[in-house]
Amino acid sequence: GAVVSQHPSRVICKSGTSVKIECRSLDFQATTMFWYRQFPKQSLMLMATSNEGSKATYEQGVEKDKFLINHASLTLSTLTVTSAHPEDSSFYICSARPQGRSVQKYASTDTQYFGPGTRLTVL
Amino acid sequence: DAKTTQPPSMDCAEGRAANLPCNHSTISGNEYVYWYRQIHSQGPQYIIHGLKNNETNEMASLIITEDRKSSTLILPHATLRDTAVYYCIVRPHEKLTFGTGTRLTIIP
């Protein structure tokens, strides 16, 4: 239970192109989803908080025009890396927090459940 | 946010209990202690969380000291698949702040 998926799991693209990453909560609804980035041998860094039906909240230093976030439904959030460059190559991970009414006994509304991650390589 | 301190690495023999310590001396009354782990090249996996009382689930036990300034995650019978980086996080609100964690290696 409390499964979060991401697609694609791995993507390689040319510099200057845009890449969209999807994050889905499979067995619960989530009004709030989070996007993290992890560089090699480093810890996860929160990029933004995605709220269903409203604008995302970005952490300091994260360019909102470069990392577009859309949270159009209670089970889907997307992150689009626009005009990607080699320095954007990283491991992108999303998480979702179950909404109260959809929570199952095996999940907690206080807990974030993470997707498997998407490895982006920009050539 | 309360900061946490964890040893950078630990080894544990397969089949033995793995005890991972975490110091959070600046924790405040409404902050929960969360544990996640990250196996190489995967997203973090939720393990357990607690406020004051000790907690146990199918994965692990969480022991929180009475003053709440430290806690210990216990994996009762470690297997090779438990090799991962373990993160102790004190969370006052929605955001999770990941530190560097403890790299636990299970030795055959």
Side-chain angles (χ1 to χ4, degrees), chain A residues 3-7 22-28 33 73 75-77 94 96:
Chain A
V3 179
V4 177
S5 70
Q6 283 185 240
H7 177 80
E22 292 185 348
C23 176
R24 293 182 186 271
S25 55
L26 298 186
D27 53 359
F28 64 93
M33 291 184 174
S73 79
T75 59
L76 173 64
S77 176
C94 73

Side-chain angles (χ1 to χ4, degrees), chain A residues 62-75:
Chain A
V62 178
E63 299 175 56
K64 63 179 181 180
D65 294 330
K66 181 169 183 61
F67 298 99
L68 302 179
I69 292 173
N70 184 281
H71 192 158
S73 79
L74 290 174
T75 59

Side-chain angles (χ1 to χ4, degrees), chain A residues 32-100:
Chain A
T32 306
M33 291 184 174
F34 304 84
W35 287 96
Y36 296 79
R37 180 168 54 180
Q38 185 175 32
F39 292 107
K41 299 188 185 303
Q42 296 185 23
S43 192
L44 283 79
M45 294 295 295
L46 179 66
M47 299 176 66
T49 302
S50 168
N51 297 294
E52 187 264 338
S54 64
K55 291 184 179 180
T57 304
Y58 291 82
E59 295 300 300
Q60 191 174 6
V62 178
E63 299 175 56
K64 63 179 181 180
D65 294 330
K66 181 169 183 61
F67 298 99
L68 302 179
I69 292 173
N70 184 281
H71 192 158
S73 79
L74 290 174
T75 59
L76 173 64
S77 176
T78 61
L79 169 69
T80 301
V81 183
T82 62
S83 187
H85 291 286
E87 57 266 29
D88 299 321
S89 297
S90 188
F91 191 47
Y92 291 87
I93 311 167
C94 73
S95 70
R97 190 172 67 88
Q99 182 191 37

Side-chain angles (χ1 to χ4, degrees), chain B residues 26-96:
Chain B
T26 60
I27 193 170
S28 61
N30 63 342
E31 293 179 323
Y32 283 79
V33 180
Y34 277 77
W35 283 84
Y36 284 83
R37 71 181 182 184
Q38 186 177 26
I39 296 170
H40 183 62
S41 295
Q42 297 183 24
Q45 178 187 21
Y46 165 76
I47 302 173
I48 199 167
H49 74 282
L51 183 63
K52 294 181 180 178
N53 299 321
N54 298 337
E55 302 286 345
T56 296
N57 63 20
E58 65 279 3
M59 289 184 67
S61 295
L62 174 60
I63 308 298
I64 302 174
T65 58
E66 193 169 340
D67 63 6
R68 302 208 326 121
K69 293 185 177 182
S70 66
S71 60
T72 301
L73 178 74
I74 301 172
L75 306 179
H77 304 288
T79 71
L80 297 178
R81 289 180 293 180
D82 292 321
T83 292
V85 177
Y86 287 75
Y87 296 99
C88 168
I89 302 170
V90 172
R91 202 203 83 179
H93 45 64
E94 280 199 322
K95 295 182 183 180
L96 294 176

Side-chain angles (χ1 to χ4, degrees), chain B residues 8-36:
Chain B
S9 64
M10 291 181 63
D11 292 340
C12 178
E14 187 180 15
R16 304 295 292 268
N19 296 280
L20 292 90
C22 179
N23 285 322
H24 31 78
S25 58
T26 60
I27 193 170
S28 61
N30 63 342
E31 293 179 323
Y32 283 79
V33 180
Y34 277 77
W35 283 84
Y36 284 83

